[in-house]
Structure formats: structure tokens, C-alpha cells
Amino acid sequence: MTSQPQRPAFGTLLTSHMAVATYQHERWSESEIKPVAPLEISPAAHALHYASTCFEGFKAFRHSDGSIHVFRMDRHIQRLRQSARQLVLPEPQPAQLADMVRAVIQRCRDAVPEAPGALYLRPILFGTTANIGAAATPSTEATLIVLASPVWDYFAGGMKPLRILVDDVNTRSAAQMGMVKTGGNYAAALGPTLAARAKYQVDQVLFCPGGQVQETGAANFLLVRNGELLTRSLDASFLHGVTRDSLLHIARDMGYAVTERPFDVREMLEWVRTGEAALSGTAAVLAGVGTLIYNGESYPVAGSELTLALRSQLVAVQRGDQPDRHGWLERVV
Ligand SMILES: Cc1ncc(COP(=O)(O)O)c(C=O)c1O
């Protein structure tokens, strides 16, 4: 038997180069491509004290002819700008940021894995004004960096259906910050997620404050059954996933009736008696949920066939195996 090569865990391997631009005196500098190396940053930098930092995550795919295509970059750039606005950070210029992403992909083209791998792109933006007394003052200086990481599986267990704790007590973020992709939200979700892992051996926590189903620490939540897809309607309390949006389009293309509205834990538990549940995100793509744990009880999810079909359809578009009818891919190399 031949053994599979050991692949680095998601996000642990970076490409050799990154793109960097800085904001000072009310303007962005020219961006530069540099070797990935430790940064020099003031210990008084705004982001280190007051969490003025946000980021994005999206992928570029190598197609079978060797060309490289980035997926829905415009939506991710818009979302980073929205996060920056909410955190009162200087907004990156869309054209400059897109050029930085393209430059990293071009420079690191040899590091883009073949399918089923991809190149994960991670722009980060953070406030660098050196002032430890600036709790109520925005950072007037900032750094924007585009990192890239060759990735394979996000969940260590591969395609195994996930075990999810339904938590109707904790919140993942402050109500108005859910739609902002900022480090503080992930820090807030970490404690409850680790506690749930230790107590219930779950993969993730589904946050359902006040009994209303919201999202997990790093993915959106969808319910699927024959011809129907249900997910929470967009509001400020959770991240507006680009994968979620793409899957809603794909589901409609496949003839599904797509409903976006709030729903509660009771309705979800009823749904999974006969239907499916799944997590969506750039990293996870669409991962089936196998079991929900609520109030100490296990609720098995009926199946994952429809989830797998939706996932395959999205992956086929990303990899160039199906026509890109919504114009989501941009060829970079
Ligand atoms: C909290 C959270 N929700 C949802 C998502 C899914 O968003 P997207 O599909 O744009 O990756 C992510 C991942 O980026 C996330 O971190």
C-alpha cells in the first residue's frame, strides 16, 4: 500500500513572498512584494492594545491546464473595506489591494497546489499608530499585508460529518460586530469552543444566542432537504459569507427554493430529523454536520447526500470543471 504524503495543517505553511502597503499622512504607499519575514512594529501599536485589526480569507485555484484563478476577490475586498470602516481603520483601495493579491499569486505561482489543494489568500489590515492612550481614538496609520498559504483539508478529519454543540447561552461577538472579520470575534469564540471540545468532543460550536441560530466560530450554517435550503437572513450579527452567497446561487441554479430568514433551535432540531445541516466557508467549503448536541442530548442528522452534491457543484466551478456562469473566477496566471 502506498501512503499519502503528510500535508501541512491548514494555514501553517506560507509562501515565500507577501505584498505590503502602509498608510500614513492620509495616503497609502505604493505596495511592495517582499520575502515573508518578521515585522518591525512598535509595542505601542494601536492594534496590539485596542484590536484595530481585520482580515480576509479567500482562495485561488489551479485548473487542469495549469492556469490559476482567484475566486470572488471583489466580494472579499468589499468585505475587508466594510470591516475597516466598522473599526475606523483606513480603507484599502480596491484596485491596489486586487493588484497586491495578483502580485503575490504571480510571484508564488509555483506554490499553488494542484486540486484538491488551493492557495489561500489572507489580507490583513491593522492600526500601527504608536499611542497606548488611544483607546477612544482611531489609528491614523496602518499596515496592509497580503499573505498566501498553500492549503489542503481544513478539518483534520477530512469529509467526516461534524459533531456540533448547539450553544444558546454564549455569543460569538458583540451584536453589531458579527459582520466584521476582526480578530476579537475569534478570540471571543475560542473559550466556549475549547470548553465544548473538552466536554462534548465536538468539532465546533453553533452559536444560537437567545435560541436563534446564528453561525459557528468560523463558518455559516445551512439547512438542506429535498428541493429546499434554509439559512439565516443577513443582519449585523454574523459574517456574510461569500461561500454562503455562492451556494445560495448554486442551489437556485439547481432548482432549490432558497429561504433566508431567522429560525430557532427547535425548528433546526425538527429539520435534521429528516433533512441535512452543513457549515459553509472558504476553508471548509461545505461540510456536513452528522450530530448536533443540545442540552446534553445528541440529535443525529438524517444525511449528507444533498450537502455533498452542492459542495461538488461549487468545487467544480472553482476548479474550472463546470462553466463559471456567474463570473466568479478571475484568471491571474
Ligand atoms: C465567523 C465566520 N463566519 C462565516 C465564514 C464564512 O465566510 P466565507 O464563506 O466568506 O469564507 C467565516 C470564514 O471566513 C467566518 O470566519
Side-chain angles (χ1 to χ4, degrees):
M1 238 171 70
T2 54
S3 61
Q4 287 285 331
Q6 189 67 32
R7 295 205 158 133
F10 190 102
T12 56
L13 178 68
L14 295 179
T15 57
S16 59
H17 285 73
M18 60 185 181
V20 184
T22 53
Y23 187 89
Q24 262 188 324
H25 311 302
E26 297 182 8
R27 57 179 292 275
W28 284 102
S29 69
E30 295 283 310
S31 42
E32 280 181 85
I33 289 279
K34 295 182 173 180
V36 171
L39 303 173
E40 201 159 285
I41 179 171
S42 166
H46 198 273
L48 298 180
H49 300 259
Y50 303 117
S52 51
T53 169
C54 52
F55 63 99
E56 266 309 317
F58 52 100
K59 283 178 176 167
F61 298 88
R62 187 182 288 286
H63 289 184
S64 55
D65 64 358
S67 59
I68 301 170
H69 303 249
V70 62
F71 186 72
R72 304 200 74 180
M73 173 164 66
D74 52 335
R75 288 292 288 246
H76 289 277
I77 289 177
Q78 268 177 33
R79 195 169 68 186
L80 187 69
R81 281 165 57 82
Q82 176 190 285
S83 295
R85 254 191 322 276
Q86 192 82 4
L87 296 166
V88 201
L89 276 165
E91 287 175 45
Q93 301 299 311
Q96 179 178 26
L97 178 50
D99 280 344
M100 290 167 73
V101 172
R102 293 183 194 111
V104 170
I105 295 172
Q106 278 156 358
R107 184 70 175 72
C108 303
R109 63 174 74 188
D110 294 341
V112 181
E114 309 252 336
L119 188 69
Y120 181 78
L121 294 148
R122 168 58 66 86
I124 51 170
L125 170 69
F126 51 95
T128 52
T129 298
N131 178 358
I132 60 171
T137 314
S139 189
T140 54
E141 296 176 1
T143 297
L144 174 65
I145 296 179
V146 177
L147 292 173
S149 170
V151 293
W152 290 270
D153 264 346
Y154 180 56
F155 290 113
M159 293 291 285
K160 206 166 107 256
L162 301 169
R163 248 173 98 77
I164 302 286
L165 180 73
V166 178
D167 181 341
D168 59 5
V169 176
N170 293 293
T171 49
R172 188 194 146 246
S173 69
Q176 76 283 9
M177 295 305 279
M179 67 189 285
V180 180
K181 200 162 167 65
T182 184
N185 290 346
Y186 298 84
L190 193 54
T193 305
L194 292 187
R197 268 189 203 145
K199 189 159 177 197
Y200 299 104
Q201 293 77 51
V202 290
D203 299 292
Q204 290 290 325
V205 172
L206 178 62
F207 291 94
C208 305
Q212 294 296 310
V213 175
Q214 201 175 59
E215 65 173 337
T216 68
N220 293 130
F221 184 80
L222 312 175
L223 290 172
V224 190
R225 65 186 171 204
N226 256 339
E228 270 184 278
L229 188 156
L230 172 62
T231 193
R232 185 185 174 97
S233 39
L234 298 178
D235 60 32
S237 74
F238 73 103
L239 198 75
H240 301 178
V242 179
T243 315
R244 171 192 177 282
D245 181 76
S246 309
L247 287 162
L248 299 193
H249 277 90
I250 283 176
R252 285 192 193 99
D253 294 347
M254 290 168 78
Y256 277 78
V258 171
T259 307
E260 292 176 80
R261 63 166 168 80
F263 57 94
D264 62 12
V265 170
R266 190 196 43 79
E267 183 175 358
M268 169 179 69
L269 295 179
E270 186 56 35
W271 184 294
V272 301
R273 284 157 55 95
T274 54
E276 302 182 14
L279 304 187
S280 83
T282 294
V285 189
L286 187 65
V289 174
T291 310
L292 293 168
I293 317 281
Y294 181 54
N295 282 342
E297 301 256 331
S298 277
Y299 295 81
V301 176
S304 57
E305 255 171 66
L306 304 170
T307 298
L308 285 173
L310 283 164
R311 178 193 165 101
S312 302
Q313 192 61 30
L314 174 57
V315 167
V317 173
Q318 291 174 326
R319 292 187 192 156
D321 298 334
Q322 285 283 334
D324 173 23
R325 51 189 283 199
H326 298 285
W328 288 335
L329 292 170
E330 176 190 320
R331 181 171 177 170
V332 178
V333 172

